[in-house]
């Protein structure tokens, strides 16, 4: 996972550098990056519509592999957004939020009679 966050951080720094060169304020950079998440989600939604062929002009135009690639693009964009907003602790912040959110849904494994969780 460290390699993933290393790459995410490099992407975040590259995009920030490009925006800084264009004199885009930090708040505007964050705003545009969050909107980029929406754009990527829209592409994933469009791919699902394409899988089901519900657009009468296009018919069946996508595969589930296309959907999965678009979902991955959405996840990458979201992580880059977080890294741009929290360049010093994005991975730790994400891990903290993930632990909090997942604790609401994941049930701890029951203990065995000898007290060892299984």
């Amino acid at each position: 996972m460290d390699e993933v966050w290393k790459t995410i951080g490099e992407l975040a720094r590259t995009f920030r550098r490009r925006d800084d060169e264009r004199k885009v304020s930090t708040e505007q950079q964050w705003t545009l990056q969050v909107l980029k998440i929406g754009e990527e989600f829209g592409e994933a939604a469009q791919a699902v519509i394409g899988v089901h062929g519900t657009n009468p002009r296009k018919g069946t135009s996508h595969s589930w592999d296309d959907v999965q690639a678009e979902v991955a693009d959405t996840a990458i964009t979201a992580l880059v957004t977080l890294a741009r907003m929290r360049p010093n602790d994005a991975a730790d912040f994400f891990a903290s939020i993930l632990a909090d959110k997942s604790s609401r849904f994941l049930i701890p494994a029951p203990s065995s009679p000898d007290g060892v969780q299984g």
Side-chain angles (χ1 to χ4, degrees), residues 46-102:
Q46 182 179 21
V48 170
I49 290 168
V51 164
H52 291 285
T54 57
N55 182 332
R57 290 183 302 109
K58 296 180 181 178
T60 303
S61 58
H62 290 77
S63 68
W64 282 110
D65 284 343
D66 296 325
V67 174
Q68 293 160 9
E70 294 299 344
V71 168
D73 283 349
T74 305
I76 292 164
T77 302
L79 292 177
V80 168
T81 302
L82 186 59
R84 291 187 74 177
M85 297 174 118
R86 300 185 67 104
N88 299 319
D89 70 345
D92 291 337
F93 181 78
F94 180 78
S96 171
I97 298 297
L98 178 61
D100 178 56
K101 300 288 183 180
S102 64

